[in-house]
């Protein structure tokens, strides 16, 4: 059992009672959020509106699509179940959402002059959440959104008259060549100069790109590291916060327990194992897979912005569990097995996940345990007059698993000292409203919520 330390009243709690509450910081202020249509961005939007009742406006960047009606696009966004409590309890606050049309890949974000003026005159807090998170994306497209897009947002911030803080949501894996990651900015100046020079060339050579990655797993990680460096070097007097989440998964409690909106990353792999279509994982079973519920990420970001101090230094927060509540691949597999047993699912053998750090062994086991059964099942469907489908499913499952091989075959420790100190600045009421440090996370309870969320929000669709 895991026990919470957040219910013990300490001297820090007593002192925190006399500081400004998180909601009070946002009262009367306007916020600008990028990436609001994404998984994490939706949670930011809902949490700010629901908990900070006196917030003035929340400007959201929406990609400009010709012929699309503004109202319909917002309606589609708010149709997500993540906004259910806000719509049922305080529907009037939805009117605080102000869409501005633009494009992360364009200079000045593709914003109209009118929208730029509104943002420049009214916004105090910026949450830059938008990113190209495709781990298979090439270097040019990753840099377009993650690096150049970030530079456009920062330039806009420099023009904002009321700017108090710029929060950049990065990734814990942007410097993954190190095994212990601290809450600091790592230098990449030489890498940045080399990449920018290379992008001027008309054609990108795969071997040269691999050299530019310098041990990182993909262009996503490199582009996020370079964006961090750019912001750190060019923020001027704007207070800067970097939030570095690890692998973001479904919500723990808010706004809806277990909420998840897409088969991406770890959720895709976990669902495949849960449903028995993936039985082989490349990696050591004792490796720690750093998972973090999405509501911890949004809460940490919102709290960090409210506690920012003017400084030339960038404040970095690792939003991770490896140094606080680590969970191994073996323990994750055990959670999945337990779920199957509790659900009394029928199977000939106890559902098992095979781990190996040898790629040839992974290939052989995948063929025997996944491909052959899928081929046989498709043959049965074909001869009974039904459309084969299992080999197609296997192709997607194996491709999705292979994208994550780097993360399952390695193990890191992400230090969270600054995040722990941030928790001590909160009053007891704000600790309850904004749980942002996962020391209170109970994996047994959480995974039940997570698996329920996968069933309810993804598989039922």
């Amino acid at each position: 059992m895991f026990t919470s330390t957040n219910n013990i009243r300490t001297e820090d709690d007593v002192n925190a009672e006399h500081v400004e509450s998180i909601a009070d910081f946002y009262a009367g202020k306007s916020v600008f959020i990028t990436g609001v249509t994404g998984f994490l961005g939706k949670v930011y939007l809902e949490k700010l509106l629901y908990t900070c009742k006196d917030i003035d406006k929340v400007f959201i960047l929406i990609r400009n699509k010709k012929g699309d009606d503004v109202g319909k696009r917002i309606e589609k966004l708010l149709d997500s179940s993540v906004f259910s409590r806000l719509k049922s309890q305080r529907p009037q606050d939805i009117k605080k959402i102000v869409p501005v049309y633009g494009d992360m890949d364009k200079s000045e974000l593709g914003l109209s002059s009118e929208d730029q003026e509104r943002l420049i005159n009214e916004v105090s807090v910026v949450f830059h959440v938008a990113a190209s998170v495709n781990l298979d994306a090439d270097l040019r497209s990753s840099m377009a959104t993650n690096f150049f897009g970030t530079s456009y947002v920062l330039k806009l911030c420099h023009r904002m008259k009321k700017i108090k803080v710029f929060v950049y949501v990065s990734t814990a894996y942007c410097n993954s060549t190190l095994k212990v990651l601290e809450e600091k900015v790592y230098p990449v100046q030489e890498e940045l100069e080399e990449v920018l020079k290379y992008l001027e060339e008309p054609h990108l050579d795969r071997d040269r790109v691999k050299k530019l990655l310098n041990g990182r797993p993909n262009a996503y990680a490199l582009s996020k590291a370079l964006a961090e460096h750019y912001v750190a070097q060019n923020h001027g007097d704007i207070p800067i916060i970097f939030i570095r989440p690890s692998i973001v998964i479904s919500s723990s409690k808010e706004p809806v327990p277990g909420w998840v909106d897409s088969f991406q990353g770890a959720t895709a792999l976990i669902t495949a194992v849960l449903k028995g279509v993936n039985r082989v994982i490349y990696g050591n079973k004792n490796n720690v897979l750093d998972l973090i519920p999405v509501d911890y990420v949004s809460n940490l970001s919102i709290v960090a912005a409210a506690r920012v101090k003017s400084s030339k230094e960038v404040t970095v927060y690792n939003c991770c569990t490896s140094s606080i509540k680590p969970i191994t691949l073996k323990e994750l597999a055990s959670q999945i097995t337990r779920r199957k047993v509790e659900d009394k699912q029928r199977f000939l053998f106890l559902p098992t996940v095979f781990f190996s750090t040898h790629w040839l062994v992974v290939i052989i086991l995948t063929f025997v345990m996944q491909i052959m059964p899928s081929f046989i099942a498709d043959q049965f469907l074909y001869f009974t007059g039904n459309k084969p489908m299992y080999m197609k499913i296997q192709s997607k499952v194996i491709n999705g698993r292979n994208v994550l091989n780097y993360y399952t075959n390695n193990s890191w420790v992400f230090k969270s000292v600054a995040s722990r100190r941030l928790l001590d600045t909160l009053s007891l009421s704000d600790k309850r409203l904004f749980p942002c440090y996962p020391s209170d996370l109970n994996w047994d309870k959480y995974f039940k919520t997570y698996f329920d969320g996968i069933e309810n929000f993804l598989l039922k669709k």
Side-chain angles (χ1 to χ4, degrees):
M1 288 288 293
F2 298 116
T3 57
S4 171
T5 59
N6 289 353
N7 293 327
I8 301 174
R9 191 172 176 81
T10 66
E11 183 178 348
D12 288 328
D13 292 322
V14 176
N15 293 333
E17 296 291 348
H18 303 289
V19 301
E20 182 182 47
S21 72
I22 302 303
D24 284 346
F25 169 82
Y26 288 97
K29 292 185 176 67
S30 289
V31 173
F32 177 45
I33 308 177
T34 68
V36 77
T37 57
F39 176 47
L40 182 55
K42 291 187 183 80
V43 179
Y44 273 81
L45 177 60
E46 196 278 344
K47 184 68 173 185
L48 279 167
L49 289 172
Y50 186 78
T51 56
C52 303
K53 299 178 181 179
D54 295 321
I55 199 168
D56 186 21
K57 298 182 190 73
V58 180
F59 293 93
I60 61 174
L61 183 68
I62 300 289
R63 184 182 290 272
N64 193 2
K65 292 185 178 180
K66 293 182 179 180
D68 276 7
D69 178 76
V70 178
K72 287 183 178 180
R73 298 211 57 196
I74 298 299
E75 184 179 335
K76 183 178 179 181
L77 171 66
L78 297 176
D79 190 48
S80 170
S81 55
V82 75
F83 297 103
S84 56
R85 67 174 180 178
L86 182 65
K87 289 192 290 186
S88 64
Q89 297 178 35
R90 295 209 318 279
Q92 69 278 4
D93 285 354
I94 291 175
K95 296 179 181 178
K96 295 180 179 180
I97 300 173
V98 181
V100 291
Y101 284 86
D103 192 325
M104 284 296 304
D105 296 349
K106 294 182 179 179
S107 177
E108 297 183 334
L109 302 177
L111 296 167
S112 68
S113 57
E114 293 80 6
D115 284 339
Q116 288 186 51
E117 284 303 310
R118 291 199 70 181
L119 296 175
I120 290 167
N121 291 323
E122 299 184 41
V123 169
S124 298
V125 180
V126 174
F127 291 102
H128 179 34
V129 188
S132 172
V133 296
N134 183 359
L135 302 184
D136 274 339
D138 60 53
L139 181 60
R140 197 182 299 279
S141 59
S142 291
M143 287 291 289
T145 300
N146 298 336
F147 178 81
F148 292 107
T150 300
S151 72
Y152 300 147
V153 177
L154 181 62
K155 288 173 183 176
L156 180 62
C157 288
H158 276 294
R159 298 166 61 194
M160 291 178 177
K161 300 175 181 178
K162 298 181 179 180
I163 189 70
K164 298 292 184 184
V165 59
F166 172 44
V167 180
Y168 175 51
V169 181
S170 184
T171 173
Y173 297 96
C174 58
N175 298 287
S176 57
T177 52
L178 303 172
K179 290 302 179 182
V180 178
L181 281 301
E182 299 180 9
E183 292 166 300
K184 67 178 184 180
V185 180
Y186 291 89
V188 291
Q189 179 62 39
E190 292 183 5
E191 291 177 274
L192 175 58
E193 292 174 356
E194 191 173 356
V195 169
L196 292 179
K197 182 178 179 180
Y198 187 51
L199 288 177
E200 294 177 358
E201 300 179 15
H203 303 290
L204 302 185
D205 177 76
R206 180 171 295 187
D207 291 335
R208 179 76 182 281
V209 171
K210 185 176 180 180
K211 182 180 178 182
L212 291 172
L213 292 180
N214 196 23
R216 294 183 180 85
N218 43 53
Y220 167 73
L222 175 60
S223 62
K224 297 294 275 187
L226 299 182
E228 279 194 5
H229 177 80
Y230 177 87
V231 173
Q233 294 296 311
N234 296 280
H235 69 94
D237 294 328
I238 301 174
I240 300 295
I241 292 172
F242 289 163
I243 304 293
R244 290 184 184 150
S246 52
I247 301 173
V248 184
I249 51 178
S250 81
S251 60
S252 173
K253 297 178 182 178
E254 292 184 294
V256 182
W259 180 76
V260 60
D261 71 345
S262 65
F263 288 111
Q264 287 188 342
T267 295
L269 179 62
I270 289 169
T271 304
V273 175
L274 191 64
K275 290 303 169 184
V277 293
N278 190 96
R279 292 178 175 272
V280 186
I281 292 178
Y282 180 50
N284 188 308
K285 64 182 179 181
N286 295 315
N287 283 347
V288 172
L289 190 65
D290 201 304
L291 305 172
I292 187 73
V294 65
D295 41 344
Y296 280 91
V297 184
S298 65
N299 288 337
L300 178 66
S301 305
I302 292 168
V303 168
R307 290 289 185 264
V308 72
K309 295 179 180 178
S310 296
S311 173
K312 293 289 184 181
E313 300 298 321
V314 173
T315 306
V316 181
Y317 295 101
N318 286 338
C319 192
C320 310
T321 53
S322 56
S323 64
I324 308 164
K325 286 291 178 68
I327 185 166
T328 64
L329 289 171
K330 179 182 178 181
E331 290 167 338
L332 175 58
S334 296
Q335 292 284 353
I336 294 173
T337 300
R338 183 184 309 171
R339 170 71 172 209
K340 285 179 171 285
V341 173
E342 289 175 352
D343 286 354
K344 298 181 181 179
Q345 295 186 18
R346 296 181 180 180
F347 37 75
L348 293 176
F349 305 99
L350 189 68
T352 304
V353 180
F354 297 89
F355 298 95
S356 178
T357 57
H358 300 285
W359 186 237
L360 182 59
V361 174
V362 170
I363 293 173
I364 294 171
L365 286 175
T366 300
F367 181 78
V368 174
M369 301 298 297
Q370 297 178 205
I371 295 176
M372 280 303 297
S374 297
F375 177 78
I376 293 170
D378 272 351
Q379 293 304 302
F380 175 79
L381 289 175
Y382 177 78
F383 286 113
T384 56
N386 295 297
K387 185 178 181 180
M389 63 177 181
Y390 290 105
M391 285 297 290
K392 185 177 180 180
I393 291 173
Q394 268 304 311
S395 177
K396 292 182 178 180
V397 166
I398 293 171
N399 287 338
R401 181 196 68 187
N402 290 348
V403 168
L404 294 174
N405 280 342
Y406 178 84
Y407 303 93
T408 56
N409 195 42
N410 287 283
S411 194
W412 297 268
V413 175
F414 300 102
K415 298 291 186 180
S416 301
V417 177
S419 301
R420 180 66 184 86
R421 289 173 180 164
L422 186 64
L423 180 70
D424 293 335
T425 70
L426 301 181
S427 65
L428 287 174
S429 58
D430 273 346
K431 285 181 180 179
R432 287 190 291 267
L433 278 174
F434 300 93
C436 57
Y437 188 74
S439 59
D440 61 347
L441 191 60
N442 182 318
W443 283 122
D444 289 340
K445 291 182 178 179
Y446 172 75
F447 276 111
K448 184 180 186 307
T449 301
Y450 185 20
F451 297 154
D452 284 344
I454 290 173
E455 294 283 352
N456 296 330
F457 300 111
L458 296 180
L459 295 179
K460 283 186 179 180
K461 292 183 178 181

